[in-house]
Amino acid sequence: MQQQEFINKTAAFVQERLKDAESGHDWWHIQRVWNNTKLILQTEEADSLVCELTALLHDIADSKFHDGDESLGPRIAGDFLTSIDVPSSTIQHVQHIILNMSFKASLGEVKFHSKELEIVQDADRLDAIGAIGIARAFNYGGYKNREIYNPDIPFIENQSKQAYKNTTAPTINHFYEKLLLLKDKMNTDAAKQIAATRHQFMEQFLKQFYCEWDGER
Ligand code: ADP
Ligand code: NI
């Protein structure tokens, strides 16, 4: 029961802290990633306390909004978990995952690995695809004042650090540079299955998008 108490206290902390967060990484994103994590845990064997705490804390301080300081998130997470007396081995594991699981970190060399990291990373990636993924992409594009699509601006199909930094491209390009690649990056079988359905939905969306763009039914 103590485990559930740690989780509930952490959820309350995160919800309060993210109440003014931008919509890409707000409390609802955290809640969806937490739900995805619990879904994956139904069929994957892992330390569920570590997974759930990490799902809740993984975006507590996005380095993009804090001058690229990647140590801030793990620090805030660690300070909070220490304050509610979570065992230190659990805290360290949570901190290692937060530091290492971002898409950008996964492009570089892998420094830390665990089953729990695989699960939360999958849960986070699942929230970037499917219907929610589409909504988040256009929301982000709108925030950045990007075009939704421009047939004259080609996308870079081979995802790389370069493509990730293709920061002025229309939002449709982001599908080819990141979103459609995510299904093959899933670690766990559970997430692979969920991703397959969400991937199909994005393919369907793009097909319809181009039809409508070209003035077809
Ligand atoms: P993560 O939450 O995995 O760290 P990001 O912070 O990069 O991902 O992105 C948050 C959301 O914004 C995701 O749904 C992502 O797909 C979307 N996004 C990021 N970059 C772009 C982009 N260039 N165009 C459209 N959507 C984007
Ligand atoms: Ni996230």
Side-chain angles (χ1 to χ4, degrees):
M1 245 322 67
Q2 199 185 21
Q3 173 155 339
Q4 197 53 50
E5 209 175 297
F6 289 148
I7 293 168
N8 293 345
K9 282 183 182 167
T10 304
F13 168 73
V14 174
Q15 187 165 13
E16 170 60 24
R17 221 191 121 94
L18 293 186
K19 66 180 187 315
D20 300 318
E22 50 83 35
S23 64
H25 296 100
D26 59 6
W27 165 250
W28 303 114
H29 165 67
I30 302 304
Q31 196 176 68
R32 292 189 303 264
V33 173
W34 185 20
N35 284 334
N36 289 341
T37 298
K38 288 188 271 192
L39 195 61
I40 295 169
L41 281 170
Q42 284 176 10
T43 50
E44 301 285 339
E45 200 63 49
D47 183 331
S48 62
L49 178 62
V50 169
C51 291
E52 291 194 46
L53 292 179
T54 310
L56 287 166
L57 290 161
H58 81 279
D59 279 329
I60 196 71
D62 192 319
S63 70
K64 280 194 292 302
F65 305 107
H66 295 93
D67 302 326
D69 179 1
E70 303 214 344
S71 67
L72 187 62
R75 211 174 335 129
I76 295 170
D79 289 349
F80 172 73
L81 295 175
T82 302
S83 78
I84 60 168
D85 296 325
V86 170
S88 63
S89 60
T90 300
I91 298 177
Q92 276 176 28
H93 195 165
V94 170
Q95 289 180 307
H96 277 125
I97 301 176
I98 296 175
L99 193 57
N100 283 278
M101 77 171 228
S102 75
F103 183 69
K104 275 166 287 166
S106 78
L107 290 170
E109 82 190 71
V110 179
K111 297 171 206 116
F112 173 81
H113 199 265
S114 71
K115 181 75 184 187
E116 289 73 18
L117 180 149
E118 290 188 347
I119 289 172
V120 184
Q121 188 174 51
D122 281 356
D124 195 31
R125 285 174 171 166
L126 284 173
D127 201 52
I129 62 175
I132 297 281
I134 294 169
R136 290 181 78 204
F138 285 102
N139 182 59
Y140 181 99
Y143 172 72
K144 295 273 185 182
N145 204 19
R146 309 253 171 90
E147 290 178 295
I148 54 171
Y149 175 52
N150 184 333
D152 297 331
I153 302 180
F155 41 83
I156 304 164
E157 249 187 282
N158 283 329
Q159 167 255 309
S160 63
K161 278 188 180 172
Q162 187 76 34
Y164 189 78
K165 290 201 175 103
N166 189 8
T167 49
T168 56
T171 301
I172 285 286
N173 293 33
H174 186 64
F175 285 75
Y176 301 93
E177 290 163 3
K178 181 175 172 187
L179 306 187
L180 293 171
L181 308 175
L182 289 175
K183 85 166 167 38
D184 293 328
K185 288 181 170 289
M186 296 298 161
N187 304 299
T188 63
D189 288 340
K192 280 178 193 161
Q193 283 184 24
I194 303 165
T197 310
R198 297 187 185 187
H199 182 90
Q200 245 178 17
F201 187 85
M202 290 195 295
E203 297 271 26
Q204 177 70 27
F205 167 80
L206 289 168
K207 201 166 150 232
Q208 180 70 18
F209 184 97
Y210 296 127
C211 278
E212 295 179 15
W213 188 272
D214 291 332
E216 294 164 20
R217 297 173 75 88

